[in-house]
Amino acid sequence: TDAQPAQGLNYYTIVIVDKDGKRHNSPAMRLNTGLSSLSLQKIYAQSPTRLSLDVQDPERQHGIIRILNSVGMVITELPVTLEAGNNTLFLATPALAHGIYILQLNTGKQVVTGSFAW
């Protein structure tokens, strides 16, 4: 039992232990928990020129990521392709000064935002 499955696609393998102690793994199984909308989970500023983010999406689609500074000026726009389910994206950005930034992901159907500090 998975008490906290992620929304979207989850992959599971069952370990089967025979009475004699031999272990066998089942083939991987895929379970879709019914993600219904785009969701920005986490943003990590790894360096002044590199971000990673976790995004969950109910379908495969293209989008644009915009990074804005604290006064709303667009610093960069980056095209992305999202797969159905869980996505981890690694983004090269222009060098960012220390400060607070807004990340906006627009797929044309939905817009989600988050913030991060560098």
Side-chain angles (χ1 to χ4, degrees):
T1 301
D2 187 347
Q4 296 180 318
Q7 288 186 327
L9 292 176
N10 291 269
Y11 293 86
Y12 296 94
T13 300
I14 297 174
V15 177
I16 303 160
V17 181
D18 295 338
K19 287 184 179 182
D20 64 1
K22 290 183 183 175
R23 300 169 68 92
H24 308 276
N25 291 340
S26 73
M29 294 176 272
R30 185 172 74 171
L31 175 68
N32 189 338
T33 60
L35 179 66
S36 62
S37 66
L38 183 66
S39 173
L40 179 58
Q41 299 296 307
K42 293 180 184 173
I43 304 169
Y44 306 97
Q46 297 179 329
S47 76
T49 59
R50 187 168 168 86
L51 291 177
S52 68
L53 49 137
D54 294 337
V55 178
Q56 293 182 343
D57 196 359
E59 62 184 300
R60 185 180 195 280
Q61 59 185 330
H62 300 284
I64 297 289
I65 290 179
R66 289 183 184 92
I67 298 174
L68 299 90
N69 64 16
S70 58
V71 295
M73 187 172 102
V74 176
I75 303 298
T76 191
E77 291 186 348
L78 305 163
V80 294
T81 299
L82 301 169
E83 299 298 331
N86 301 323
N87 294 264
T88 299
L89 305 175
F90 299 97
L91 308 173
T93 66
L96 300 173
H98 286 283
I100 305 292
Y101 294 88
I102 305 296
L103 185 137
Q104 181 184 75
L105 171 56
N106 185 337
T107 64
K109 296 178 184 178
Q110 285 184 277
V111 177
V112 293
T113 61
S115 62
F116 65 96
W118 172 245

